[in-house]
């Protein structure tokens, strides 16, 4: 399956962040349906306040992805940090927050049910 960025539905568009999600993008046996997301993020974006209210105040969904441009740093439940840069492949296990160090564009693949829950939670947080 191929899909152009412009054809991926925009789920959230706020200053500094555009989140696109294509559901039913495949099936990862054992994880159920997966979705593909294309995130465009500005430097300084920090997910910490958006994840408040989720288990542990962290994203509990795993992600596999690729950094097209920019730089991001994740912090896990234990406080360990890892930075990914343009052209890096990455895996973020459940239990993380993300800070955007430099304007970034990333593509991620995530278990659809879990990540839709997180995205919907973030949408509700920005409405408040």
């Amino acid at each position: 399956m191929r899909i152009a960025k412009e054809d991926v539905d925009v789920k959230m568009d706020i200053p500094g962040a555009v989140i696109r999600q294509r559901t039913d993008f495949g099936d990862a046996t054992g994880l159920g349906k997966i979705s593909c997301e294309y995130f465009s993020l500005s430097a300084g974006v920090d997910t910490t306040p958006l994840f408040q209210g989720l288990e542990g105040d962290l994203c509990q969904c795993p992600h596999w992805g690729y950094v097209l441009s920019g730089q991001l740093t994740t912090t896990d439940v234990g406080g360990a940090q890892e930075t990914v840069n343009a052209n890096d492949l990455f895996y973020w296990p459940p239990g993380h927050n993300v800070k955007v160090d430099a304007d970034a564009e990333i593509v991620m693949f995530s278990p659809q049910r879990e990540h839709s829950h997180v995205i919907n939670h973030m949408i509700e947080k920005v409405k408040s």
Side-chain angles (χ1 to χ4, degrees):
M1 176 190 297
R2 184 197 80 69
I3 187 167
K5 172 185 171 184
E6 295 76 25
D7 295 332
V8 179
D9 293 337
V10 173
K11 299 295 278 186
M12 189 164 104
D13 186 352
I14 59 172
V18 176
I19 297 175
R20 298 171 182 269
Q21 182 186 36
R22 171 63 184 258
T23 57
D24 299 324
F25 196 71
D27 185 3
T29 301
L31 294 173
K33 292 185 178 186
I34 63 169
S35 61
C36 178
E37 297 94 20
Y38 192 114
F39 283 30
S40 301
L41 304 163
S42 296
V45 168
D46 184 348
T47 62
T48 303
L50 294 175
F51 292 163
Q52 288 177 345
L54 294 172
E55 181 185 336
D57 294 331
L58 302 166
C59 178
Q60 295 297 335
C61 180
H63 311 286
W64 295 261
Y66 180 76
V67 182
L68 297 166
S69 64
Q71 183 181 69
L72 306 95
T73 299
T74 56
T75 303
D76 71 15
V77 67
Q81 294 187 326
E82 181 177 61
T83 299
V84 293
N85 298 285
N87 301 315
D88 285 349
L89 292 169
F90 63 85
Y91 168 66
W92 295 338
H96 62 269
N97 271 305
V98 180
K99 180 153 190 220
V100 182
D101 304 316
D103 291 356
E105 295 207 9
I106 63 173
V107 174
M108 295 193 313
F109 301 90
S110 311
Q112 180 173 307
R113 183 176 52 81
E114 290 87 346
H115 204 220
S116 291
H117 171 72
V118 173
I119 290 172
N120 290 334
H121 178 84
M122 291 190 299
I123 291 168
E124 289 301 313
K125 290 298 266 186
V126 299
K127 285 182 182 177
S128 305

